[in-house]
Amino acid sequence: MNTNIANLFDLSGRVALVTGSSAGIGFALARGLGRAGSRVVLNGRQPDRVAGAARILRDEGSSVFEMPFDVTDSNAVRMATDRIEADIGPIDILINNAGMQRRGPLEEYPEETWHELMTTNVDSVFYVSQAVARKMIPRGRGKIINICSVQSELGRPSIAPYTATKGAVKMLTKGMAIDWGKHGLQVNGIGPGYFKTELNQALVDDEAFSEWLIGRTPSRRWGELEDLIGAAIFLASNASNFVNGQIIYVDGGVTASL
C-alpha cells in the first residue's frame, strides 16, 4: 500500500461549518481547518463578531464564509444549513462547538439557567447535527466532531449542570456514530482540558487555582488553543476514516491522573 501521508490530512476544498467560532476554541479550530485547506463557515449569534473573526482569517489567507444564526433555534439551523449547501457547497465537516458555562451551587441553581444550559450545550448539538447529517447521508460521507470536555468524565464543584450537559454530548456522540456509521459518517468528539481562553481568564489569573491545576496535570501546564488543532484536523480528515464514536481528550493527561 502506497499512502501519501500528507494527503491523509489534507482538507483542501472541503466545506467545514464550525459553530460558535467567532472566538475562543471555535475560532482556533476554524483557523486550523482553514490552514489545512478547508473552506470554513464561521457561526455565532452576533453578526459583527462573526464578521470580525472572518476578517482576521481572510487576512491570513483562509477561505472564509459568514453564517450567523442561533444554534438553539431549530428552524434557523435548518434554513442556514440549506443556505450553506446551496451557496457555498456540500458540508463535509461539522464541528459542534457552541456552548456556555453557568456556575452556581446546585441546591440554589435556577431552573431557567438549567434549561438555558441544556438548550445551548445539548439541544444545539442535536439540531445542527441532524440538519447536517440529513445532507451527508445521501452522499455517503461526512465528519462530525462534537466538542465535549474533561467534564464529560470528571466533576468539579459548582458546575454539576455543565457536567451533565457534557456527559450528554459524549453519549450523543456515540449514539450518532452508531446510527450514522452505516451511512459513511464518522462522528467523534474532542474533550478539551483546561485551556487559556477568554472564558477561563479569571482562573488563569488565580494563582492558587493555576498552581493546583498545573500540579494536577501530567504535562504541567495550561493548554494552549493551538494544542487542539491537530486532533481536529485528524478527525476531520481521511486519516480518521475508521475512527467512530470516540472521544479524544486533549487535556495534558488530566483524565489519566487521580
Side-chain angles (χ1 to χ4, degrees):
M1 184 175 70
N2 183 17
T3 301
N4 186 313
I5 298 302
N7 287 345
L8 274 180
F9 297 92
D10 183 18
L11 303 179
S12 293
R14 299 189 191 185
V15 175
L17 168 61
V18 185
T19 69
S21 49
S22 61
I25 287 174
F27 178 75
L29 296 180
R31 171 182 266 161
L33 295 186
R35 288 175 176 172
S38 285
R39 292 184 288 156
V40 182
V41 182
L42 297 185
N43 159 262
R45 293 182 182 180
Q46 299 176 31
D48 56 333
R49 295 193 68 188
V50 174
R55 278 194 298 272
I56 293 170
L57 297 187
R58 287 192 189 109
D59 287 347
E60 295 176 356
S62 290
S63 177
V64 181
F65 303 85
E66 300 163 36
M67 192 62 60
F69 63 91
D70 184 352
V71 293
T72 68
D73 179 339
S74 59
N75 287 326
V77 167
R78 285 191 291 270
M79 286 190 292
T81 302
D82 287 344
R83 188 174 161 200
I84 293 166
E85 292 262 334
D87 297 349
I88 301 169
I91 300 170
D92 301 291
I93 301 157
L94 166 64
I95 299 185
N96 284 303
N97 168 76
M100 67 176 6
Q101 171 67 289
R102 293 282 187 266
R103 298 174 181 272
L106 186 58
E107 67 277 12
E108 298 170 8
Y109 207 82
E111 185 178 330
E112 61 272 19
T113 307
W114 166 271
H115 289 299
E116 178 189 31
L117 208 64
M118 287 290 168
T119 300
T120 303
N121 292 3
V122 183
D123 292 356
S124 69
V125 176
F126 168 71
Y127 294 151
V128 183
S129 296
Q130 185 186 64
V132 171
R134 284 172 173 167
K135 307 290 187 182
M136 291 176 166
I137 286 170
R139 295 192 286 262
R141 68 181 190 279
K143 304 280 188 174
I144 298 176
I145 303 166
N146 296 327
I147 302 304
C148 301
S149 169
V150 291
Q151 266 78 49
S152 296
E153 300 289 343
L154 305 173
R156 286 285 298 153
S158 80
I159 60 167
Y162 178 80
T163 301
T165 67
K166 289 303 183 178
V169 172
K170 178 187 81 169
M171 295 311 298
L172 184 55
T173 300
K174 292 177 181 289
M176 289 175 179
I178 293 164
D179 281 4
W180 297 338
K182 64 189 175 187
H183 298 295
L185 279 60
Q186 289 86 51
V187 187
N188 295 288
I190 295 174
Y194 284 84
F195 278 76
K196 290 182 178 178
T197 65
E198 301 164 15
L199 295 179
N200 280 336
Q201 195 57 51
L203 294 177
V204 175
D205 295 339
D206 183 331
E207 229 173 274
F209 181 85
S210 266
E211 186 179 343
W212 170 83
L213 176 68
I214 290 167
R216 167 82 165 71
T217 304
S219 293
R220 294 295 185 264
R221 65 176 177 87
W222 279 82
E224 302 286 350
L225 289 175
E226 291 73 20
D227 293 323
L228 292 165
I229 292 173
I233 291 173
F234 166 64
L235 292 177
S237 71
N238 289 342
S240 61
N241 280 351
F242 201 55
V243 179
N244 222 349
Q246 303 302 308
I247 316 298
I248 298 178
Y249 289 98
V250 184
D251 64 357
V254 163
T255 50
S257 172
L258 285 174

